[in-house]
Amino acid sequence: ISLCWGILRNNKLITKTIIMKKVFLTMTMIFATMIASAQISALTTLNVEDEADGKTYNVTDNIGVGYQINESLMVGVTRNGEENYNFLGRYSLNNGIWATCIYNYAPDSEDELMDRLNVGVGYSIKVWRGLHVDPNYTMPLKEDEDGGREGSFNIGFSYKL
């Protein structure tokens, strides 16, 4: 009996190793499933500039990528001009309506965090397969010198890969 008791007592290490391997494999599968269900989106905004000879339309000034974490939440980054970046979060509310928060990052700026944030709402219209037109309205959280906040209406495009 003492021989059997010694064998069972020494197998605790093997049993714990097997259990830990199963837990690790299960956690890995859960994490891989979460990653696989997420979608990558290409984002851009239509910019219109008035010039002397007419209007110029540009879709490459504000181009970026978004990562759909789940059905409701997307995070992303867009390039705003030459060296500035915008970090964005988008939360889907209902039937294509979404709210967004955009942080305008500039490397040499001394502005406070709240001075660089914009918030807005938008609507996503599915045009074809993964292509969406996203009209939206955003406004800064910081007031201007007159105490007002002038927002902007934008036309965005997104393609879910």
Side-chain angles (χ1 to χ4, degrees):
I1 287 191
S2 66
L3 181 61
C4 290
W5 181 253
I7 292 172
L8 290 176
R9 202 169 98 198
N10 292 335
N11 283 339
K12 286 184 180 180
L13 181 60
I14 295 172
T15 305
K16 287 182 182 179
T17 305
I18 291 171
I19 291 172
M20 288 306 294
K21 283 183 181 178
K22 288 181 180 180
V23 169
F24 180 73
L25 180 62
T26 304
M27 295 303 289
T28 303
M29 291 302 293
I30 290 170
F31 185 69
T33 303
M34 286 176 24
I35 296 294
S37 66
Q39 292 184 352
I40 304 292
S41 296
L43 309 168
T44 189
T45 302
L46 178 66
N47 295 329
V48 180
E49 296 178 14
D50 290 326
E51 295 182 358
D53 57 346
K55 292 185 178 182
T56 303
Y57 299 95
N58 192 347
V59 294
T60 59
D61 281 347
N62 204 3
I63 195 164
V65 64
Y67 180 73
Q68 189 94 26
I69 294 174
N70 58 30
E71 292 180 12
S72 300
L73 184 63
M74 181 174 67
V75 294
V77 62
T78 59
R79 187 169 182 169
N80 184 6
E82 291 295 321
E83 56 190 54
N84 294 339
Y85 290 92
N86 293 338
F87 296 100
L88 64 97
R90 182 187 286 184
Y91 184 77
S92 296
L93 299 171
N94 192 8
N95 296 330
I97 299 172
W98 44 267
T100 188
C101 181
I102 302 168
Y103 174 67
N104 301 315
Y105 174 75
D108 297 330
S109 177
E110 296 181 9
D111 292 339
E112 292 186 25
L113 174 69
M114 296 302 287
D115 295 343
R116 306 188 65 85
L117 284 176
N118 293 341
V119 294
V121 294
Y123 184 71
S124 199
I125 303 166
K126 187 174 184 176
V127 177
W128 180 72
R129 293 190 184 179
L131 181 63
H132 293 78
V133 175
D134 302 323
N136 60 72
Y137 181 80
T138 58
M139 63 184 277
L141 289 180
K142 181 181 179 181
E143 295 177 344
D144 58 9
E145 293 81 27
D146 299 330
R149 294 183 180 106
E150 185 175 330
S152 63
F153 178 75
N154 305 305
I155 302 289
F157 299 97
S158 62
Y159 185 76
K160 294 184 180 180
L161 304 173

